[in-house]
Amino acid sequence: MSRDGIDGKRVLITGASSGIGAAIAIYLADRGYQIWGTTRDISKVKNFPSELQKKVNFLSMDVTSDESIKNGFAEFLQQAGGIDILINNAGFGVLGSIEEYYLAGVKKIFETNYFGVLRMIQTVLPTMREQKSGTIVNLSSLGAKFVIPFQTHYSATKAAIEALTEGLRQEVRPFGIKVIAIEPGDIKTKFNDMIDFGDIEGSPYTKWAKASWVITDKNMQNAPGPEVIARKVYRVLRKKNPRTRYAAGDFLSTKFPLISRFVSDRMKEKLIRVFYGIDFE
């Protein structure tokens, strides 16, 4: 199908070397999309799964660097000739109390999870505006609305992405550009292996932080794979008039936003404490 149709469109995905990003890249490639993915270390591409190497054109790009994004996007445009879809996926998580988690670490996660997304958006928008078309998909999290205990800074970055998505939709609507947030619940990937841990040993929060992490890790291991997010992204991209946000994951994850409408903040906080094993009252 031509680029004017559903498939065959040019897609740029940040953090496409593994996890959700890789799953989206392969799923869309199998359905006719032309895929470019970013990785911070291009020399490692030779070690990626053969399917990923075959179906994705990789570019060197670090979303925390203005210069890296500028150079990487210029290379992308040279190869692709334009951009139809940007999928902002790169990100990582943290674990630690708000009181004790080091400030430099908070700045680091915002540099990637929020400012990295903002840099990408500011870089691609001039091209999309000139084309008078384009779609931007931001990978958010259910953690933006259901704040994860001792992972609050991660939730804060995703809450910022929610606000960014909502505002950007309004600003770029006159240019024919669509903006959507996808909100995954727990997904079984190696995401937890990249968690930046604060020093929780000997902390007054130790027993609660550890209990919360045990549940978090267990939920991740029992969660569906990243393909469920890839399928959701594909379905959303096919919509003529997509909504602002879509919850994604297992059945419960997709129903959380609906459930939250019918419970008070106090009850929601109680349910979160129980769910994460920190309700020691």
Side-chain angles (χ1 to χ4, degrees):
M1 190 174 293
S2 70
R3 287 173 183 164
D4 294 329
I6 294 173
D7 299 331
K9 293 189 175 182
R10 302 154 294 185
V11 184
L12 178 60
I13 306 174
T14 64
S17 61
S18 63
I20 290 175
I24 294 172
I26 291 172
Y27 196 87
L28 294 184
D30 286 344
R31 283 148 185 83
Y33 290 77
Q34 301 178 72
I35 308 298
W36 282 261
T38 75
T39 180
R40 286 178 297 176
D41 189 348
I42 200 71
S43 69
K44 293 183 178 180
V45 171
K46 63 181 181 294
N47 299 320
F48 292 170
S50 58
E51 184 180 25
L52 199 58
Q53 294 185 50
K54 180 180 178 181
K55 297 177 179 179
V56 180
N57 305 292
F58 276 97
L59 302 165
S60 177
M61 192 180 293
D62 180 351
V63 299
T64 67
S65 166
D66 294 346
E67 190 68 19
S68 178
I69 290 176
K70 177 182 176 181
N71 293 337
F73 188 62
E75 183 178 351
F76 167 81
L77 286 180
Q78 186 175 21
Q79 294 180 19
I83 182 168
D84 298 301
I85 301 165
L86 169 66
I87 300 178
N88 285 308
N89 167 73
F92 69 96
V94 300
L95 180 76
S97 70
I98 294 173
E99 177 185 347
E100 297 177 319
Y101 192 79
Y102 62 115
L103 188 57
V106 179
K107 292 179 179 179
K108 181 180 178 182
I109 190 172
F110 267 89
E111 275 295 334
T112 298
N113 291 15
Y114 179 76
F115 289 110
V117 171
L118 180 58
R119 289 185 183 95
M120 291 299 301
I121 289 170
Q122 291 181 333
T123 299
V124 307
L125 273 181
T127 301
M128 287 187 173
R129 281 193 295 100
E130 185 176 348
Q131 296 172 168
K132 298 191 183 321
S133 66
T135 300
I136 296 173
V137 178
N138 297 324
L139 267 292
S140 180
S141 169
L142 284 180
K145 298 175 180 176
F146 297 86
V147 178
I148 307 168
F150 303 100
Q151 298 180 56
T152 304
H153 298 304
Y154 171 77
S155 289
T157 64
K158 295 305 183 179
I161 291 299
E162 293 280 322
L164 179 67
T165 300
E166 192 169 331
L168 185 63
R169 278 174 64 93
Q170 302 286 55
E171 294 183 13
V172 300
R173 189 170 181 269
F175 302 101
I177 301 169
K178 302 172 185 177
V179 188
I180 308 118
I182 303 293
E183 304 169 332
D186 289 320
I187 300 296
K188 188 175 183 179
T189 65
K190 294 183 179 179
F191 181 82
N192 281 3
D193 295 341
M194 298 182 288
I195 293 286
D196 187 4
F197 287 85
D199 186 7
I200 62 174
E201 295 297 337
S203 163
Y205 302 96
T206 297
K207 65 178 180 179
W208 297 292
K210 285 186 173 180
S212 174
W213 176 248
V214 167
I215 298 297
T216 297
D217 197 48
K218 180 180 178 181
N219 290 340
M220 185 77 77
Q221 296 307 314
N222 295 328
E227 294 76 19
V228 69
I229 305 302
R231 290 194 295 270
K232 174 67 77 172
V233 169
Y234 176 65
R235 289 195 294 268
V236 170
L237 289 176
R238 292 172 64 92
K239 293 180 180 294
K240 184 176 181 180
N241 295 302
R243 302 196 309 265
T244 306
R245 52 184 62 86
Y246 293 84
D250 60 18
F251 178 79
L252 188 58
S253 294
T254 62
K255 301 307 176 187
F256 266 139
L258 179 63
I259 294 171
S260 69
R261 297 178 187 176
F262 300 98
V263 298
S264 66
D265 286 344
R266 188 183 298 275
M267 177 58 68
K268 184 172 74 170
E269 291 167 4
K270 172 72 173 181
L271 291 173
I272 290 172
R273 291 198 302 274
V274 171
F275 184 80
Y276 284 99
I278 61 171
D279 192 37
F280 294 108
E281 297 177 352

